[in-house]
Amino acid sequence: MKKILFAVLPLSVFVTLIVLLYVNMGTHSERLPSPLVGKAVPNFKLNTLYSNKTLTPKDFEGEVWLMNVFGSWCPSCRVEHPVVTQLAESGVVKVIGFNWKDEFVDADRWLKQFGNPYDEILVDLKGDVAIDFGVYGAPENFLIDQAGVIRYKLVGNLTPEIIQNELMPLIEELK
Amino acid sequence: MKLLSLCLGLTLFCGSALAIEVYPFENEAQEALYQDVTKELRCLVCQNQNLADSDAGLATDLKDKVAAFVMEGKSKDEITQYMIDRYGEFVSYEPPLNASTLFLWLSPLVLLLIGGGILVFKIRRTQHD
């Protein structure tokens, strides 16, 4: 009896490990929780792409806005862009673009090709401000409330489902 | 001869092209601190690499940032904290001891105790025989 137990033990350890790894395969995510949710938006001073302004967080005080990090070099942003456009056109929230590490000509060409739904576009050519926002991959989305506090962060593409299930309830609550 | 000098020239050129990651550190201590910090910070784009080993665009930006902090005279803890404040504890390869990392830190000890227990048990039994 004891011998059988010792023989089965390594096998059962092996099977358990495989099961654990298999389960983890489905639930594991490379998306990280942001430590910035619940904190004030990092202080920035950025030029805009088209309107020749320099904006700071103060310019957005008093309204709820969504900051959409994008770049013309980012393939996923193309996939996400129609969804962002639809959200911006619905008018439920002010959508601000955050053009990350992009040359003007490239960004301009991209926006002319796919459309420009943004209320304003902040330009972060060197990527300094993106680091302050904890950005590590485009697209990323930040929902910022009237007091300038980050309420929600999404790494990866906005989808109609995410907007309906996660973003809209938050926007309703803030308004 | 012409071919030889061409090869030599190309080799020299490649050598200089590879050495892109040079920061004007004031002394060796700063250089060492930079190496130390970038080895312990995770590249967030390719998550199983550290910053030092990664050539991803963001990793380059973060390395520039680390180098700038080092040259400003910031300490290792200050630089690491700056990154953790923005990217979370995941960015550090040296996770702090807290409730969610308790298992991570204690599991080697638990394994050691189990292994040691089995060993003691086995040795005692052979001594009895």
Side-chain angles (χ1 to χ4, degrees):
Chain A
M1 186 58 210
K2 229 179 183 179
K3 264 189 180 163
I4 296 173
L5 190 74
F6 271 106
V8 173
L9 197 67
L11 186 71
S12 57
V13 169
F14 175 74
V15 170
T16 316
L17 199 66
I18 292 294
V19 169
L20 279 176
L21 287 173
Y22 184 78
V23 169
N24 201 28
M25 219 163 69
T27 55
H28 177 78
S29 172
E30 287 187 352
R31 294 174 183 183
L32 309 174
S34 174
L36 288 171
V37 172
K39 295 206 179 119
V41 71
N43 206 10
F44 61 79
K45 197 174 174 191
L46 289 173
N47 294 330
T48 56
L49 192 69
Y50 293 125
S51 61
N52 207 13
K53 282 190 239 172
T54 305
L55 297 175
T56 67
K58 271 207 158 30
D59 294 302
F60 298 101
E61 260 173 26
E63 49 194 345
V64 181
W65 54 292
L66 182 90
M67 192 178 95
N68 175 245
V69 180
F70 76 101
S72 66
W73 44 266
C74 150
S76 300
C77 299
R78 278 181 203 206
V79 179
E80 188 200 40
H81 202 63
V83 181
V84 175
T85 305
Q86 209 177 19
L87 180 69
E89 280 171 359
S90 76
V92 285
V93 68
K94 190 173 193 172
V95 179
I96 304 293
F98 184 95
N99 190 225
W100 184 32
K101 286 173 77 86
D102 220 349
E103 295 293 336
F104 174 80
V105 279
D106 296 329
D108 183 51
R109 182 169 29 84
W110 195 86
L111 288 163
K112 289 216 164 90
Q113 189 180 348
F114 298 105
N116 175 11
Y118 301 112
D119 197 75
E120 277 293 355
I121 300 169
L122 304 168
V123 177
D124 187 17
L125 184 62
K126 281 164 79 187
D128 284 347
V129 176
I131 292 176
D132 277 340
F133 270 94
V135 169
Y136 66 90
E140 285 192 17
N141 291 280
F142 295 80
L143 186 72
I144 297 146
D145 72 8
Q146 292 94 332
V149 175
I150 298 173
R151 288 308 186 100
Y152 175 82
K153 178 191 175 181
L154 173 75
V155 178
N157 291 27
L158 266 181
T159 62
E161 292 76 40
I162 293 175
I163 290 177
Q164 205 190 342
N165 299 331
E166 297 177 32
L167 211 55
M168 286 312 288
L170 257 175
I171 294 171
E172 293 296 325
E173 191 193 311
L174 290 172
K175 281 181 172 174
Chain B
M1 194 57 212
K2 238 182 184 173
L3 191 70
L4 186 73
S5 56
L6 182 71
C7 286
L8 194 70
L10 277 177
T11 323
L12 286 174
F13 173 75
C14 288
S16 63
L18 279 173
I20 39 167
E21 210 182 280
V22 175
Y23 297 105
F25 293 117
E26 282 163 29
N27 50 48
E28 275 176 27
Q30 283 192 349
E31 171 93 44
L33 177 62
Y34 168 80
Q35 298 291 352
D36 188 25
V37 172
T38 50
K39 272 186 191 127
E40 272 176 29
L41 288 174
R42 188 191 294 269
C43 165
L44 294 132
V45 183
C46 26
Q47 294 180 356
N48 291 320
Q49 267 190 319
N50 60 20
L51 272 189
D53 286 342
S54 176
D55 282 326
L58 178 68
T60 313
D61 289 355
L62 290 177
K63 279 189 275 193
D64 289 346
K65 201 97 188 170
V66 170
F69 282 148
V70 166
M71 285 183 270
E72 277 171 28
K74 285 210 160 71
S75 73
K76 182 180 172 182
D77 284 349
E78 283 173 309
I79 301 172
T80 311
Q81 196 55 47
Y82 172 92
M83 294 298 173
I84 290 175
D85 285 346
R86 282 154 185 79
Y87 290 100
E89 278 161 8
F90 187 76
V91 76
S92 170
Y93 270 121
E94 209 176 279
L97 182 61
N98 60 35
S100 62
T101 58
L102 200 64
F103 178 71
L104 186 71
W105 279 98
L106 292 186
S107 55
L109 188 69
V110 171
L111 282 179
L112 189 73
L113 286 176
I114 293 172
I118 293 173
L119 200 66
V120 168
F121 179 73
K122 282 258 177 192
I123 289 170
R124 278 204 178 157
R125 231 178 39 174
T126 43
Q127 276 173 347
H128 272 284
D129 295 340

